[in-house]
Amino acid sequence: MRISRRTFAAVAVALVLPLSACGSGGDGGGPADASGKVEGDITFQTWNLRANFKPYFEGLIADFEKKYPATHVKWIDQPAEGYADKISADAAGGTLPDVVNVSPDLVAPLAKAGLALDLDKAAAPYRSEYLDGAWASHRVPGLSGTWAFPWYLNTGPLFYNKSLFEKAGLDAGKPPTTYGDLFADALRMARSSGGKVATLANVPTIEDFGRYGVPLMNKEGTGFAFDDAKGVELLTRYKELYDAKALDPQALTATPESSGKKFLTEAVAMNPGSALDLGNFKKQAPGLYKNIGITEQITSTGHVNMYVMGVMVNSRTRHTPAAVAFAHFVTDAHNQMSFAKKVAIFPSTAGSLDDPYFTKEDGTDETRVRVAAAKSLKNAVNYTPVLFSEQMKTALRNEVAKALQGKESPKTALDNAVKACDQLLKQQG
């Protein structure tokens, strides 16, 4: 997948397998035993990575084939657009590659259809090599198992405009660290600017409910639960911001790109981002760059949100030992560290984030962001439920919009969103 904050934040299209592909998780047609000889021809599919990283992957494959001379890896790279549809078609047609780059929401229907190998069984010796939160990100409620190796991670801080904070009479050296502080500062900024400067540019998403400490699903993973009292509380606070213009009026239709432009033009005071954005600020808005403040994600749980990519093994591969060995090779500590030094992403392997590259400051903002993000990733979680599809995100967004516009109460809006999401969940099988 294209590596940037926007693409990590963007939602992958929900994958719905035809009924003919449905089955029970872990009942694939291939052997689950990965302990045999590593040999045979396998295919490896990535998600829009060839254009920028062709030399890296060609070298990676060459190193693997050197280590295991009886293997041959054919690399396939698919464009970002239509990737989920391509996987769905391959799954239905029996042409799914042996090793596949997936996100958690893409692996869920494959696991349910019995097409993803259970790595808790097939790759148990490797489990301790990965961060707990990263390994858990490819588990699926209702199924026992882990369905992909965690690969690269990303997270980011909150950027804020020091100048706008100062103009509002706020201490630019003390940005909000709690939701209470955030909402109070946002209301003050809106008042002091006559409603011309908003603090936030996005409506709350499922990740925001998770960070606020709202239970997102029931323990069985059979239904959603974000319409509880705490969820209603969060949406009520956002309604207050919206009414006071502390939440940008265009937030109802905002995208990560449009929100970023609002921050660039100093129409909003805070925006999530990553080290990749600092270079853009420097080039496109040098005046803003001089006033950039960097602070941590706000969370009530003590855990920031992580975005995670994974590498899945097709349960029906004819060469299980080779496929598992290669998926592990792609995601081992050495190769993840090598990849992380080519682009602003982070390894999911335990101990890698203690490398000086992720811990030593050098006085630059870019390094400061990288060090802070690496520290927070050690106990970060992927708040977005793996079963939360694109249609569910749309349902939640539509109901949130109704609440913010005063067409429904926050409680009614969230009850309706949960009802719609539960119905979509049943349709997933």
Side-chain angles (χ1 to χ4, degrees), residues 81-428:
E81 185 175 354
Y83 188 73
D85 293 335
K86 173 63 175 170
I87 290 180
S88 180
D90 285 344
T95 57
L96 195 67
D98 299 284
V99 180
V100 187
N101 177 189
V102 292
S103 55
D105 58 324
L106 293 184
V107 84
L110 295 171
K112 285 187 172 184
L115 296 175
L117 191 66
D118 180 3
L119 300 180
D120 282 342
K121 296 177 180 177
Y126 302 134
R127 164 68 187 85
S128 62
E129 296 179 19
Y130 301 89
L131 295 169
D132 289 340
W135 186 266
S137 65
H138 290 92
R139 291 179 180 148
V140 178
L143 297 180
S144 176
T146 298
W147 308 101
F149 283 102
W151 194 7
Y152 54 87
L153 312 175
N154 217 334
T155 191
L158 274 174
F159 291 117
Y160 67 99
N161 188 317
K162 292 181 178 179
S163 177
L164 293 179
F165 268 65
E166 290 168 353
K167 288 178 182 178
L170 297 166
D171 186 346
K174 294 182 179 179
T177 58
T178 67
Y179 279 101
D181 291 342
L182 173 65
F183 297 140
D185 287 356
L187 291 172
R188 180 168 177 176
M189 189 169 295
R191 285 195 301 268
S192 68
S193 67
K196 294 181 179 179
V197 179
T199 297
L200 302 174
N202 293 290
V203 299
T205 64
I206 196 70
E207 295 166 13
D208 294 303
F209 283 95
R211 272 195 294 256
Y212 196 67
V214 179
L216 303 181
M217 296 192 78
N218 60 31
K219 292 181 180 179
E220 297 76 27
T222 57
F224 292 94
F226 52 81
D227 59 343
D228 80 335
K230 200 162 183 64
V232 174
E233 177 183 282
L234 178 65
L235 187 51
T236 300
R237 298 303 301 272
Y238 265 86
K239 175 73 166 72
E240 293 172 3
L241 298 185
Y242 185 77
D243 290 344
K245 295 186 178 180
L247 176 64
D248 187 80
Q250 296 179 21
L252 300 183
T253 56
T255 64
E257 289 82 1
S258 65
S259 299
K261 288 178 182 177
K262 286 276 187 176
F263 185 69
L264 277 175
T265 58
E266 303 190 56
V268 297
M270 301 190 83
N271 203 56
S274 74
L276 292 169
D277 293 298
L278 289 170
N280 294 332
F281 296 155
K282 228 182 237 186
K283 293 177 183 177
Q284 299 177 29
L288 170 66
Y289 182 76
K290 293 177 183 177
N291 287 304
I292 283 288
I294 305 171
T295 189
E296 296 180 356
Q297 289 181 30
I298 295 173
T299 170
S300 295
T301 66
H303 302 279
V304 303
N305 184 64
M306 74 161 68
Y307 301 104
V308 56
M309 280 290 130
V311 177
M312 186 201 89
V313 175
N314 183 348
S315 67
R316 298 181 182 177
T317 177
R318 290 183 294 174
H319 302 289
T320 301
V324 170
F326 182 72
H328 172 252
F329 189 78
V330 171
T331 62
D332 70 18
H334 171 78
N335 288 313
Q336 285 211 51
M337 179 61 75
S338 176
F339 197 29
K341 290 184 177 180
K342 295 182 180 298
V343 65
I345 51 93
F346 300 86
S348 61
T349 40
S352 296
L353 297 177
D354 294 323
D355 185 277
Y357 182 71
F358 296 114
T359 60
K360 294 293 180 70
E361 298 270 8
D362 62 6
T364 66
D365 285 336
E366 288 83 357
T367 300
R368 178 183 166 195
V369 172
R370 183 171 68 238
V371 169
K375 182 179 179 180
S376 67
L377 275 170
K378 289 183 178 180
N379 68 346
V381 298
N382 178 22
Y383 283 110
T384 303
V386 298
L387 299 176
F388 204 70
S389 68
E390 173 69 7
Q391 290 173 295
M392 295 174 190
K393 293 179 176 76
T394 299
L396 174 59
R397 187 179 185 90
N398 289 343
E399 291 298 331
V400 165
K402 291 176 184 177
L404 296 181
Q405 293 171 316
K407 296 178 180 178
E408 294 177 349
S409 71
K411 173 62 176 170
T412 298
L414 290 183
D415 283 345
N416 288 341
V418 164
K419 183 178 179 180
C421 292
D422 282 348
Q423 186 61 39
L424 289 166
L425 186 62
K426 291 179 182 177
Q427 293 174 13
Q428 288 182 4

